[in-house]
DNA sequence: AGCACGCCGACT
DNA sequence: GTCGGCGTGCTC
């Protein structure tokens, strides 16, 4: 007998469990086991010795050969320690998310006593019961009495049929054919699109169903041809690099430092450099992983890579892709059939064979941090991978995080800069002081409306950025623009309407709403916060017949919505685009000549230690949308024009923001000078949530940790989806080993967030 | 998350 | 003496 330590998926445990098997197995193989009377999937972490307690036997080996190697197991262990995630869950992340779907359990009747008369799948069987629990009870009884038998089916991923559809006849000829309505839909779709149309695309866009015979008929009638993608021999689309780009490329290819930070302004042509560097790696038979923020991973960005590397196998991996396709891509990546994988943060876990390089574009983007029951930072995972697997890591952004900038300044990583745009100059930035300027309404100044009018008359486009409506309201003095801050935490107070109080969500301190501004004595304090909808309404008053496109989470819910909006924006002619943070990425429209940023104070005054960094990054990214081909303009409205922060922005000087902020953070020992761990306890009963938080707080206090441990407080949102919440924040030097052990032994449900970009959730 | 185990109080 | 309610802790 051999003995194995197994991480059991979906059990939320930090421990592994020992199981036996008569044959020799290897770490990384998945197995089916019985765990507390349930069939569970797990992965072998290591071989171990016989135990002095009874262990169960592995029921079934799922993977004939391990699909993970020792590096991947190491990655799981290290990430588990770093982000204090249960090993059982990290191990699961390394496999495709629906991997358990591949395993189907069939119930086979063995006796006429059974009320099941033919074999059925477990999922089907569950439907006959009110609860799964009840069903399992009956099932267990039946298995015990030998009335039924369970058998396990492993569903093999289907071979994908994704051919390109080419029209062979012209429209007039086709009209002469008698075609069904759905056949016409297909033909029209192909005619309307000026790019290749894929079979899969027709299914996904619900033009025809998967079971449809329309394509077959069209082929039979000689109207279309289906051809394999690889058969198309296109010339790679290569762009000549500028001198500055070439220089950066050479540095990236130099041996030595394995992590590079490419710090280049928007429009400086970072993508072209990546392509050149990728080429070198691909020539050495190394595979490449590209991680993009959710919103940037558009079909256009994938097409761009495909056009540059027409003869390479490219895999796309993100949550919007259906599970069958994702499983197939995952297996292809593991088996070495994919050269370049492009994906969102979850793709960082793919055990890509022969991986040679990871590129993370828009490194500052918050979607790279998973803020869920499980939380991790894809950038940190990439660091671990690069270390364990000796892979080159390139991080890139126009506004890198303070964390990466600090590392670069301290020469821990290699800093490469691109300060010039390829086609044009950086836009001029004008700051308008809302205290002095002539206002038309409390949203727009006269000056801004005049500027907008000018651009529209010129048949060009204006982009207006506005924060969303929602939480984090703050009180601002209408005279001096002062916003009240907590003295202990250097974080703005948040106004709680219900109690009519100001609260600091870090230390929990409260304050009565003052009658007047404590700085200038003005009695008028205004509650601030408006959203895109209001901005659009306001704009319609001044420009009643103007095309206005609104872009925020309320309007844009899916990738398709986003694409449609982009299509609309691309159309020629004047337009006003009003949007939230969403518009900061992927919008590469040449005739956006003016960018207006409203209520920039709103972000700057977020009750958050990261608010300056995020606002700077946001403003620079939004400003970067202006005049990508021809010099444009940016106008920022603010109540705090005297804040030197705006001076830095005006000069496009992100370095100064970084320097200033790094200094600021030092005073309060915030990251990146330290680590910050947020722990959330939630329960439907507030007293239980509080008790759990207090119990754990006491345990932490006993351990004499170096870091500062804050007492349990109510988070900014004390009740979320019916659950009451309490939080503990730990700040300072975090001893991961020690805290991991405390959590492992404590064995209670809690949510842990290491250096989250927000502590507001 | 679910289940066993054990402590304690109530009731035969 | 026995049953069951519930809090605690373990799951291999």
């Amino acid at each position: 007998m051999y003995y194995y330590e197994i991480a059991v998926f979906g059990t939320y445990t930090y421990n592994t469990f020992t199981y036996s098997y008569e044959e020799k197995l290897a770490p990384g193989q998945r197995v089916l086991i019985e765990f507390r009377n349930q069939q569970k999937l797990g992965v072998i972490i290591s071989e171990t010795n016989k135990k002095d307690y009874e262990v169960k036997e592995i029921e079934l080996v799922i993977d004939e050969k391990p699909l993970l190697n020792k590096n991947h197991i190491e990655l799981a262990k290290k990430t588990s320690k770093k982000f204090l995630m249960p090993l059982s869950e990290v191990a699961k992340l390394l496999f495709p998310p629906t991997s358990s779907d591949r395993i189907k359990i069939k119930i086979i009747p063995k006796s006429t006593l059974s009320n099941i008369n033919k074999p059925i799948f477990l999922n089907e069987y569950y439907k006959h019961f009110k609860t799964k629990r009840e069903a399992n009870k009956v099932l267990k009884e039946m298995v015990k009495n030998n009335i039924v038998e369970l058998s396990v089916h492993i569903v093999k991923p289907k071979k994908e049929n994704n051919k390109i559809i080419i029209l062979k006849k012209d429209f007039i000829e086709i009209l002469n054919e008698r075609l069904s309505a759905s056949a016409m839909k297909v033909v029209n779709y192909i005619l309307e699109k000026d790019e290749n149309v894929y079979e899969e695309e027709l299914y996904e866009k619900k033009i025809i169903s998967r079971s449809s015979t329309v394509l077959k008929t069209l082929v039979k009638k000689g109207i279309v041809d289906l051809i394999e993608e690889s058969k198309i021999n296109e010339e790679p689309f290569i762009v000549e690099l500028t001198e500055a780009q070439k220089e950066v490329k050479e540095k990236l290819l130099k041996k030595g430092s394995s992590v590079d930070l490419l710090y280049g302004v928007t429009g400086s042509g970072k993508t072209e450099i990546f392509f050149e560097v990728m080429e070198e790696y691909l020539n050495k038979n190394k595979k490449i992983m590209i991680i993009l923020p959710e919103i940037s991973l558009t079909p256009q960005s994938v097409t761009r890579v495909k056009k540059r590397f027409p003869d390479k196998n490219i895999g796309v991996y993100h949550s919007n892709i259906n599970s069958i396709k994702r499983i197939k891509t995952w297996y292809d990546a593991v088996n070495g059939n994919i050269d370049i994988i492009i994906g969102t943060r979850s793709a960082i876990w793919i055990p890509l064979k022969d991986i040679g390089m990871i590129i993370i574009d828009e490194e500052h983007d918050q979607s790279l941090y998973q803020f869920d029951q499980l939380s991790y930072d894809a950038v940190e995972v990439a660091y671990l991978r690069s270390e364990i697997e000796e892979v080159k890591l390139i991080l890139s952004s126009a506004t890198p995080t303070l964390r990466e900038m600090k590392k670069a300044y301290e020469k821990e990583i290699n800093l490469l800069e691109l300060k010039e745009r390829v086609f044009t100059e950086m836009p001029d930035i004008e700051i308008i002081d809302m205290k002095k300027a002539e206002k038309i309404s409390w949203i727009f100044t006269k000056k801004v409306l005049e500027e907008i009018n000018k651009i529209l008359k010129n048949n060009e486009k204006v982009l207006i950025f506005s924060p969303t409506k929602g939480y984090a309201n703050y009180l601002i003095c209408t005279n001096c623009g002062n916003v009240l801050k907590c003295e202990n935490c250097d974080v703005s107070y948040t106004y709680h309407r219900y109690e009519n109080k100001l609260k600091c969500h870090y230390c929990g301190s409260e304050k009565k709403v003052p009658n007047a501004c404590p700085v200038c004595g003005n009695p008028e304090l205004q509650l601030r916060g408006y959203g895109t909808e209001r901005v659009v309404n306001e704009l319609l008053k001044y420009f009643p017949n103007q095309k206005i496109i609104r872009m925020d989470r309320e309007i844009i819910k899916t990738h398709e919505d986003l694409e449609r909006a982009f299509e609309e924006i691309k159309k020629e002619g004047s337009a006003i685009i009003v949007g939230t943070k969403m518009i900061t990425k992927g919008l590469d429209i040449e005739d956006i000549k003016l960018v207006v940023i409203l209520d920039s104070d709103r972000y700057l005054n977020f009750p958050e230690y990261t608010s300056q960094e995020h606002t700077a990054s946001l403003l620079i990214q939004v400003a970067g949308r202006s005049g990508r081909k021809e010099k444009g303009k940016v106008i920022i409205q603010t109540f705090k024009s005297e804040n030197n922060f705006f001076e830095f922005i005006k000069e496009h000087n992100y370095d100064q923001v970084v320097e200033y902020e790094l200094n600021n953070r030092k005073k309060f020992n915030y990251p990146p000078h330290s680590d910050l761990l947020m722990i959330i306890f939630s329960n439907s009963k507030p007293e239980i949530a509080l008790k759990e938080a207090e119990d754990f707080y006491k345990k932490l206090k006993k351990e004499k940790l170096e870091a500062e441990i804050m007492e349990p407080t109510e988070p900014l949102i004390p009740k979320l989806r019916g659950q009451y919440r309490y939080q503990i924040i730990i700040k300072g030097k975090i001893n991961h080993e020690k805290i991991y052990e405390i959590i492992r032994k404590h064995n209670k449900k809690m949510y842990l967030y290491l250096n989250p970009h927000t502590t507001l959730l």
Side-chain angles (χ1 to χ4, degrees):
Chain A
M1 264 310 178
Y2 296 91
Y3 295 86
Y4 301 99
E5 291 293 342
I6 289 167
V8 188
F9 294 169
T11 53
Y12 223 83
T13 46
Y14 291 81
N15 296 329
T16 53
F17 298 92
T18 313
Y19 285 82
S20 65
Y21 200 63
E22 62 234 325
E23 285 168 40
K24 178 101 176 152
L25 300 172
Q29 267 176 302
R30 276 176 302 175
V31 291
L32 194 72
I33 43 148
E34 192 185 280
F35 184 78
R36 49 185 182 228
N37 295 322
Q38 278 183 320
Q39 299 256 10
K40 288 273 177 189
L41 204 57
V43 62
I44 299 178
I45 297 296
S46 61
E47 202 176 327
T48 182
N49 306 322
K50 192 176 190 316
K51 301 286 159 175
D52 50 11
Y53 49 84
E54 211 179 304
V55 301
K56 287 179 181 165
E57 208 171 322
I58 288 169
E59 297 203 355
L60 194 77
V61 178
I62 305 294
D63 305 319
E64 280 176 48
K65 280 186 185 155
L67 296 164
L68 307 185
N69 62 32
K70 66 173 198 318
N71 284 337
H72 304 129
I73 305 275
E74 174 87 3
L75 178 68
K77 284 186 186 165
K78 285 207 167 150
T79 334
S80 166
K81 283 261 161 71
K82 172 127 203 178
F83 287 94
L84 306 158
M85 273 195 280
L87 186 62
S88 66
E89 303 316 297
V90 188
K92 201 175 154 190
L93 288 171
L94 285 157
F95 291 96
T98 46
S99 58
S100 59
D101 292 355
R102 289 183 56 240
I103 292 158
K104 280 196 167 175
I105 296 168
K106 211 174 202 177
I107 306 168
I108 300 160
K110 286 185 76 185
S111 146
T112 46
L113 285 171
S114 156
N115 45 15
I116 299 169
N117 45 30
K118 59 172 201 262
I120 59 166
F121 281 114
L122 192 61
N123 294 358
E124 202 50 44
Y125 164 80
Y126 279 147
K127 287 182 190 155
H128 300 287
F129 291 85
K130 273 200 218 94
T131 64
K132 267 194 180 180
R133 205 179 140 184
E134 198 184 318
N136 280 335
K137 234 179 190 166
V138 175
L139 187 60
K140 224 162 65 185
E141 204 54 35
M142 289 198 293
V143 173
K144 210 167 138 195
N145 296 326
N146 230 356
I147 297 169
V148 298
E149 186 184 72
L150 300 181
S151 88
V152 176
H153 288 245
I154 300 167
V155 185
K156 291 237 165 75
K158 272 189 231 144
K159 260 220 152 162
E160 194 184 277
N161 227 348
N162 199 13
K163 292 184 177 150
I164 295 172
I165 306 164
I166 308 265
L167 271 186
K168 281 169 73 183
K169 294 187 178 173
D170 65 37
F171 192 58
I172 304 297
E173 276 180 288
I174 294 168
L175 276 181
N176 289 333
E177 301 269 349
R178 257 201 252 149
L179 288 181
S180 67
S182 39
M184 266 326 278
K185 262 206 303 201
V186 172
V187 170
N188 278 329
Y189 184 80
I190 299 169
L191 283 169
E192 269 172 33
K193 206 160 164 187
D194 49 12
E195 280 169 45
N196 287 332
V197 174
Y198 291 86
E199 192 180 339
E200 194 62 26
E201 192 178 330
L202 295 176
Y203 304 139
E204 259 166 34
K205 299 227 160 132
K206 302 235 155 64
I207 290 160
I208 48 172
S209 79
R210 267 171 213 283
S211 54
S212 161
T213 55
V214 165
L215 280 183
K216 248 190 205 160
T217 319
L218 285 173
V219 172
K220 217 169 39 189
K221 289 194 175 170
I223 295 169
V224 302
D225 242 353
L226 302 184
I227 52 168
E228 296 280 345
E229 189 178 4
S230 52
K231 297 271 162 60
I232 306 176
N233 250 338
E234 278 180 61
E235 280 297 304
F237 183 74
I238 301 172
V239 179
E240 180 75 20
L241 296 190
T242 64
E243 280 310 310
Q245 285 174 315
K246 271 186 201 155
E247 209 176 293
V248 170
K249 174 198 157 185
E250 290 311 318
K251 281 183 185 159
L252 281 171
L253 286 171
K254 252 195 208 149
K255 286 240 162 69
S257 144
S258 66
V259 182
D260 295 282
L261 177 61
L262 179 48
Y263 171 31
V265 297
T266 46
S268 60
K270 292 181 286 248
T271 314
E272 276 74 33
I273 303 178
F274 292 151
F275 286 167
E276 299 270 314
V277 178
M278 281 163 69
E279 177 122 62
E280 301 278 338
Y281 275 75
L282 290 165
N283 288 343
K284 282 185 262 168
N285 269 330
K286 286 289 183 188
K287 317 287 194 202
I288 286 153
M289 177 180 276
I290 304 174
I291 306 291
L292 298 172
E294 266 150 73
I295 213 141
S296 311
L297 187 54
T298 54
Q300 288 94 296
S301 62
V302 176
T303 308
R304 210 165 151 194
V305 179
K306 282 188 177 163
K307 279 204 174 135
R308 179 61 176 75
F309 300 102
D311 60 333
K312 296 292 175 198
N313 292 318
I314 293 159
V316 183
Y317 196 90
H318 59 82
S319 55
N320 214 35
I321 284 179
N322 71 54
S323 64
I324 295 164
K325 218 168 163 180
R326 248 197 293 178
I327 291 169
K328 166 135 192 340
T329 306
W330 188 89
Y331 275 87
D332 282 346
V334 171
N335 292 327
N337 299 330
I338 280 181
D339 304 305
I340 303 166
I341 191 122
I342 311 172
T344 51
R345 91 180 157 237
S346 62
I348 194 68
W349 300 102
I350 297 174
L352 181 64
K353 200 182 173 192
D354 298 323
I355 182 170
M357 173 160 69
I358 301 172
I359 297 171
I360 301 188
D361 198 10
E362 311 289 0
E363 169 274 326
H364 65 278
D365 195 275
Q366 298 181 359
S367 77
L368 294 169
Y369 191 100
Q370 170 149 317
F371 212 123
D372 221 321
Q373 296 201 346
L374 295 170
S375 95
Y376 63 86
D377 189 331
V379 178
E380 297 284 3
V381 179
Y383 262 96
L384 290 172
R385 277 198 90 153
S386 117
E387 200 182 293
I388 297 166
E389 298 178 86
E390 288 174 19
V391 162
K392 182 171 191 74
L393 173 60
I394 303 176
L395 305 173
S396 143
S397 173
T399 54
T401 53
L402 285 191
R403 177 187 63 205
E404 299 309 325
M405 289 300 271
K406 181 172 181 275
K407 281 187 207 159
Y409 289 157
E410 289 167 5
K411 305 255 187 270
E412 265 181 64
I413 59 174
N414 207 12
L415 181 65
L416 300 164
E417 290 187 72
L418 277 169
K419 298 236 157 175
E420 303 279 322
R421 282 187 160 181
V422 175
F423 298 110
T424 173
E425 286 170 73
M426 294 302 282
D428 286 330
I429 299 180
E430 187 182 342
I431 312 286
I432 295 185
D433 188 338
M434 289 293 277
K435 290 185 301 236
K436 293 179 203 142
E438 191 181 333
K439 277 164 275 191
I440 298 295
S441 70
W442 60 296
I443 297 181
F444 290 107
T445 55
K446 190 170 173 229
K447 166 97 195 199
V448 160
L449 287 177
E450 280 168 6
E451 291 280 340
I452 293 173
N453 195 30
K454 245 196 267 170
I455 300 291
L456 296 175
K457 278 222 172 106
N458 221 2
N459 219 17
E460 289 169 321
K461 294 188 176 72
V462 181
L463 183 71
I464 300 179
F465 173 81
S466 156
T468 22
K469 23 186 188 172
Y471 52 78
N473 288 316
Y474 60 96
L475 278 172
I476 186 166
C477 169
T478 53
N479 179 42
C480 73
N482 173 48
V483 171
L484 284 144
K485 271 188 177 177
C486 169
E487 286 96 21
N488 300 323
C489 305
D490 191 38
V491 149
S492 325
Y493 276 121
T494 303
Y495 176 67
H496 286 238
R497 191 189 300 261
Y498 186 69
E499 294 156 282
N500 195 30
K501 267 182 190 158
L502 297 169
K503 285 191 184 181
C504 169
H505 84 284
Y506 266 52
C507 66
S509 74
E510 292 181 6
K511 199 172 182 164
K512 246 177 54 191
V513 177
N515 295 324
C517 171
V519 174
C520 72
N522 170 31
E524 250 179 88
L525 296 173
Q526 198 176 55
L527 183 64
R528 192 57 68 72
Y530 54 79
T532 46
E533 197 180 335
R534 184 138 194 186
V535 174
V536 171
N537 283 344
E538 191 84 12
L539 280 168
L540 281 169
K541 281 191 221 159
Y542 316 117
F543 310 103
N545 297 317
Q546 182 55 50
K547 175 164 132 187
I548 300 178
I549 301 159
R550 191 176 135 200
M551 283 180 76
D552 56 40
R553 270 282 159 232
E554 225 171 277
I555 300 255
I556 315 280
K557 293 198 168 101
T558 63
H559 261 262
E560 285 74 47
D561 294 339
L562 185 71
E563 267 185 68
R564 221 171 299 134
F566 278 173
E567 288 300 320
E568 199 53 42
I569 293 169
K570 265 189 211 158
K571 285 183 188 160
E572 245 175 81
S574 68
I576 306 178
I577 304 137
V578 180
T580 58
K581 236 158 81 173
M582 185 179 266
I583 58 174
T584 53
K585 262 142 276 164
L587 199 56
D588 200 353
I589 308 296
E590 287 170 14
D591 58 347
I592 292 178
K593 277 294 164 55
L594 174 67
V595 169
V596 178
I597 296 166
L598 302 170
D599 200 6
S600 48
D601 307 297
R602 175 86 184 270
Y603 269 97
L604 210 48
N605 289 327
F606 247 57
E608 185 91 86
Y609 77 92
T610 52
S611 61
Q612 299 252 349
E613 175 185 0
H614 290 158
T615 310
S617 162
L618 195 77
L619 296 186
I620 290 169
Q621 296 283 348
V622 177
R625 298 301 124 201
S626 169
R628 307 268 288 191
K629 272 268 155 78
E630 252 176 77
K631 191 167 172 173
K633 187 170 181 173
V634 178
I635 303 176
I636 300 175
Q637 289 189 168
T638 174
F639 272 98
K640 292 219 130 188
S641 65
E642 68 282 1
N643 192 335
N644 40 10
F645 177 85
F646 287 106
E647 280 307 308
F648 305 156
I649 299 289
K650 204 173 159 181
E651 314 261 291
H652 299 274
N653 197 338
Y654 184 66
D655 292 81
Q656 261 191 298
V657 175
V658 172
E659 221 168 281
Y660 181 84
E661 253 311 277
L662 278 174
N663 252 325
N664 231 355
R665 301 261 183 105
K666 192 140 212 170
K667 284 181 211 150
F668 292 87
N669 194 28
Y670 280 124
H673 301 292
S674 68
D675 277 316
L676 189 143
L677 179 66
M678 176 169 74
I679 311 174
I680 294 203
F681 298 83
S682 77
N683 196 284
S684 53
K685 291 187 183 115
E687 60 283 4
I688 294 177
L690 179 61
K691 194 188 173 293
E692 285 190 347
E694 278 172 346
D695 285 351
F696 193 68
Y697 175 72
K698 278 175 205 151
K699 251 186 209 177
L700 287 172
K701 274 286 183 193
K702 255 191 247 158
E703 291 287 336
K704 304 237 181 319
L705 295 162
E706 251 179 87
E708 188 184 343
I709 308 164
M710 321 261 187
E711 271 182 57
T713 56
E714 258 188 13
L716 184 71
I717 307 165
K719 193 183 177 189
L720 192 68
R721 284 174 227 107
Q723 299 279 304
Y724 290 88
R725 299 136 45 90
Y726 278 88
Q727 71 177 19
I728 297 173
I729 286 178
I730 305 178
K731 199 177 79 182
K733 195 171 176 339
I734 289 181
N735 185 334
H736 286 257
E737 293 285 333
K738 222 169 176 175
I739 293 182
Y740 193 84
E741 275 312 297
I742 302 169
I743 292 167
R744 197 175 66 80
K745 288 195 188 119
H746 188 67
N747 197 28
K748 282 259 166 64
K749 203 172 125 199
M750 57 180 108
Y751 303 121
L752 296 134
Y753 307 99
L754 179 72
N755 299 330
H757 50 75
T758 173
T759 52
L760 291 179
L761 277 168

